[in-house]
Amino acid sequence: MLNIQTPINNLGYGVAGYNILKELYEIDKTICLYPIGQPEQSDEFIQHSLQNISNLALDRPFVKIWHQHDLTQRIGSGKYFGFPIFELDKFSQQEKISIKHCDEVLVCSKWAASIVESETKKKVSVVPLGVDNATFCPVKFNNSPKTIFFNCGKWEKRKGHDVILECFNKAFTSQDNVELWMMCTNPFIGDDNAAWQKLYKESPLGDKIKIIPRQQHHSDVARLMNMADCGLFPARAEGWNLELLEMMACGKHVIATNYSAHTEFCTPVNSRLINVDNLETAFDGVFFDGSKGFWAELAENQKDAIIHHMRDIHSLKQSGSLVMNDNGIETANKFTWKNSVNALLGAMNG
């Protein structure tokens, strides 16, 4: 059927690659996997897909799930579909050149498709990502007396981690029965992980904040999500936001910015949205140097909205009125990995 190149690990690209490969393998056992890096999982379908390389079917279509700046190299001579997942609304010259090596481009949201079209003029198709509904699913509602807010996603200003701390400390006092759980280990920043943790733990409500290490298995992540009441995701920009959709699949309420790729599945019906008034230069001094692109500005209006949503969730929980996010569950049921692969195959055959 096709050749695919992707990482297989617990980071965003790796999770997408793993689940897409798994569903493709169910359709055609001859799929060939050319991994980016050493696969961190050793499932039977991964091993078979690696072994299939010996067949050298180099005229097959080729899908590469990888960064937009590194799409110049391909496998074989078949039609080349690049599948980048990106956060900003502009590409650098290097990224434009890289993307133009693809015959066609796949992206996971209409927001991203509009950027590819305007920046590169390449043919682009939307292939939404999914959620593992067998792992991330509702369980008995959390009856803990505490209201627990949860965020996961590697420490970054882009993900709003600076604003989360500020808003949590403004929204509540030491008398409020609340906790904030942060599972945000970033494998790319070294000692700065400790700096982020120190910032949180030494804040006024630091004794109400739990720093949770990165979990090895998705079942452990789902267990934590089901212990929480609300997912808190005030990101300045996202390429998809797997964790946000996973929280919805668990029936949890979510607070999220009304901007970037997760608008593919976040609506006023299933989410508590933070409307964005302006965009600002994307700069954090770590991953984004301000040389290209914009992201959502989280100004006072946005912070006020976050605080309002957090207090409302807490009030509902404390009064016994917080129920499952049924609209979120319904949304997550539509975004399966099987549907992702059906969209991918439809785009390739279109």
Side-chain angles (χ1 to χ4, degrees):
M1 178 174 49
L2 57 85
N3 297 321
I4 187 169
Q5 187 172 40
T6 179
I8 302 291
N9 55 41
N10 283 327
L11 299 176
Y13 274 105
V15 172
Y18 173 91
N19 285 285
I20 288 173
L21 174 67
K22 182 179 180 180
E23 293 294 336
L24 286 168
Y25 184 81
E26 289 298 313
I27 296 172
D28 187 344
K29 301 293 192 293
T30 69
I31 187 171
C32 296
L33 169 63
Y34 293 81
I36 298 173
Q38 182 67 28
E40 294 182 4
Q41 284 91 350
S42 58
D43 305 61
E44 185 176 350
F45 74 89
I46 294 174
Q47 297 305 313
H48 285 177
S49 299
L50 289 168
Q51 294 166 8
N52 286 338
I53 292 175
S54 60
N55 296 325
L56 285 177
L58 297 180
D59 59 342
R60 290 176 167 188
F62 170 57
V63 175
K64 185 170 186 173
I65 305 175
W66 195 231
H67 299 283
Q68 68 275 11
H69 67 267
D70 192 18
L71 296 173
T72 56
Q73 295 180 324
R74 61 185 294 163
I75 302 295
S77 58
K79 194 171 185 179
Y80 176 16
F81 295 85
F83 197 160
I85 304 170
F86 54 88
E87 302 95 356
L88 302 186
D89 63 348
K90 299 289 182 184
F91 294 135
S92 67
Q93 188 61 23
Q94 177 192 354
E95 290 170 335
K96 291 178 183 179
I97 292 171
S98 172
I99 291 171
K100 286 181 180 179
H101 280 75
C102 307
D103 294 314
E104 294 186 20
V105 181
L106 308 175
V107 295
C108 51
S109 68
K110 291 185 281 293
W111 173 82
S114 67
I115 295 166
V116 171
E117 289 170 346
S118 64
E119 290 283 288
T120 70
K121 311 304 180 186
K122 297 293 292 187
K123 182 178 179 181
V124 60
S125 299
V126 175
V127 177
L129 300 185
V131 61
D132 177 3
N133 287 297
T135 301
F136 296 93
C137 55
V139 298
K140 186 178 179 180
F141 197 73
N142 174 21
N143 290 319
S144 165
K146 290 187 176 71
T147 305
I148 299 172
F149 296 91
F150 182 75
N151 174 274
C152 53
K154 57 187 185 294
W155 292 117
E156 275 192 65
K157 179 180 177 182
R158 173 178 64 83
K159 289 183 173 288
H161 289 141
D162 54 335
V163 171
I164 287 175
L165 182 60
E166 178 183 350
C167 291
F168 181 70
N169 279 285
K170 287 183 177 179
F172 305 113
T173 71
S174 60
Q175 306 305 310
D176 290 313
N177 198 9
V178 297
E179 285 188 348
L180 173 63
W181 293 4
M182 302 295 292
M183 192 179 78
C184 302
T185 302
N186 189 331
F188 305 112
I189 63 173
D191 292 342
D192 283 344
N193 282 287
W196 276 104
Q197 293 176 27
K198 185 173 184 289
L199 181 68
Y200 270 68
K201 292 302 291 183
E202 294 185 357
S203 70
L205 296 182
D207 61 337
K208 294 181 177 292
I209 298 173
K210 287 187 177 182
I211 305 298
I212 300 172
R214 179 179 289 274
Q215 302 297 294
Q216 184 175 2
H217 302 293
H218 289 157
S219 59
D220 296 322
V221 178
R223 178 181 57 82
L224 289 167
M225 288 182 172
N226 272 305
M227 294 170 66
D229 296 295
C230 179
L232 185 55
F233 299 97
R236 290 174 168 88
E238 284 285 358
W240 178 253
N241 204 331
L242 287 165
E243 297 87 356
L244 175 51
L245 186 58
E246 288 164 355
M247 286 292 286
M248 280 190 186
C250 291
K252 303 303 176 179
H253 294 265
V254 293
I255 300 170
T257 41
N258 192 14
Y259 178 72
S260 70
H262 53 253
T263 56
E264 194 73 15
F265 57 88
C266 284
T267 72
V269 175
N270 61 29
S271 308
R272 292 169 180 263
L273 295 176
I274 307 156
N275 290 323
V276 173
D277 299 323
N278 299 297
L279 300 182
E280 64 179 7
T281 299
F283 175 80
D284 65 2
V286 181
F287 301 105
F288 302 92
D289 62 6
S291 63
K292 66 173 179 70
F294 299 86
W295 59 26
E297 179 187 40
L298 299 182
E300 292 309 310
N301 284 347
Q302 288 68 49
K303 294 174 186 177
D304 288 344
I306 296 167
I307 291 168
H308 169 77
H309 289 317
M310 293 176 75
R311 286 175 173 167
D312 191 39
I313 290 289
H314 178 56
S315 177
L316 290 170
K317 176 65 184 289
Q318 296 306 301
S319 68
S321 303
L322 188 66
V323 297
M324 284 278 188
N325 181 4
D326 290 333
N327 291 315
I329 296 170
E330 182 179 354
T331 297
N333 286 337
K334 298 174 183 177
F335 286 90
T336 65
W337 289 110
K338 182 176 181 179
N339 286 345
S340 299
V341 164
N342 287 338
L344 184 149
L345 295 176
M348 293 176 64
N349 295 324

